[in-house]
Amino acid sequence: MEIKKGISQMAEYPNAEINYVVPADGKMYYVLKNGELKNGCIIAALDPKKAIDDGVYCDSIGVFSADGSTLIDFNKKEIRAINDEFVLAVNAIPTSEDVINSLKNENDEISKAMLKNGSTTIVDRMMIEMGITGELLFSDAYSEANVYKLDEANHKFGLDSSFIGMNDTNFYFHSNDVSKETVIIDFTGEKHEDKPEEKGFSMPEFTMENNEPIESKDNNVSIENENTETKPEINNEQVETSVKEENTQNIDNSVNFDDSLKLDISQNILGGFNMPETDNIPINENEENQEEIETKNNIELNEKSNLNSDKVLDSAIEVMKKMIGETNKLNEKIAELEKQLENKEQELEEKNNIIAAQESKKNELSDLLDEANEVLENIE
């Protein structure tokens, strides 16, 4: 699709250069900064101001393919490239129940505190799950995003999530609900129901059979995939901008990507281990020392894994402490208001008593005045 250059005539951005495209629908879409991708795809918006100023809010951002077809509907508020194959797109209007409920309680202090602490726990958990090559791509408990693959229209690669990360093999998706599990999808699109043990939070359970430990199977996590998405109609009115068309030219779509060095030192450190039979087997001093070393190593591994579990428990305890603290503050505030109300009632009662006393004196004076008038009349 041909990218054209124009000059802005808007009062806010006079004479600013704007790149734009005109697809089959006849509308003008404005190419964002860093919106020309290496594979020929284009990130654009209906609002020309967004193409000039990244700080302008816009809810009509989408992606065109090189041939001008729509790859991502123009109802996003942010889109940025992850690599040549994938982009991260943030929904302008949240659709997940978790985010919608959080927005409803955005002004509630207790809910905000719980969500903040839960978000910290989720990020910590994901970083452990992703390992040393992990990278957090999106983190916003009051919003949601998704990863799209640029091979067909609206190809969502994961779930609409408030927290998204990746390492050198997988994408990681987590809602803003700390009680839910991370959904892991590798770059081929396969969902991983079981997380790697060395990156998880719980120690696997072992049972003994023939003097050998047997690892219990983890429960599968059932997550419903969103495979389809209804393409909404774009009702955004095109911003009328006077643009002077200059020479039409093809844009050099080359973009340099820095591939940073990544080391993968992940290892299944909790794999099964053999327990030797001790009956009628002579144990020399070297074997005994080796067994002590292995036992010590296993104890250290258990302690490290328990530390991970303790982090989650500590975070939950902190949330409860803050909830209790906020509740106590509310109770104190209520007690203070009740005391103020009681004082107001006492003041009102005192004022009523004063008014009643003054009314009584007024009546007495009125009676005395009547008697004085009678006396004067009799004298006359």
Side-chain angles (χ1 to χ4, degrees), residues 13 170 211 371:
Y13 309 101
N170 306 313
N211 290 329
E371 291 177 0

Side-chain angles (χ1 to χ4, degrees), residues 98-117:
D98 291 330
V99 175
I100 292 173
N101 290 336
S102 298
L103 289 171
K104 289 179 181 178
N105 299 319
E106 189 175 6
N107 296 324
D108 181 73
E109 294 300 325
I110 295 179
S111 298
K112 285 173 63 177
M114 292 179 63
L115 191 62
K116 182 178 180 181
N117 282 276

Side-chain angles (χ1 to χ4, degrees), residues 199-232:
K199 299 176 183 178
F201 273 83
S202 59
M203 276 289 293
E205 297 177 359
F206 291 91
T207 58
M208 298 300 296
E209 181 176 325
N210 298 326
N211 290 329
E212 292 187 358
I214 306 298
E215 184 179 347
S216 64
K217 295 182 179 178
D218 296 333
N219 293 329
N220 290 333
V221 180
S222 176
I223 306 264
E224 183 178 353
N225 248 333
E226 297 180 12
N227 294 324
T228 59
E229 180 183 3
T230 303
K231 182 176 180 181

Side-chain angles (χ1 to χ4, degrees), residues 208 210-212 274-284 287-288 291-292 294-295:
M208 298 300 296
N210 298 326
N211 290 329
E212 292 187 358
N274 295 325
M275 296 181 64
E277 299 181 1
T278 57
D279 295 339
N280 301 323
I281 298 179
I283 301 176
N284 58 38
E287 290 177 348
E288 185 174 348
E291 182 179 354
E292 290 177 359
E294 290 180 356
T295 302

Side-chain angles (χ1 to χ4, degrees), residues 6-18 48-49 52 241-242 244:
I7 301 296
S8 167
Q9 298 300 307
M10 292 181 290
E12 306 97 310
Y13 309 101
N15 300 321
E17 288 190 359
I18 303 180
K49 296 179 182 178
I52 300 173
T241 307
S242 176
K244 297 178 181 179

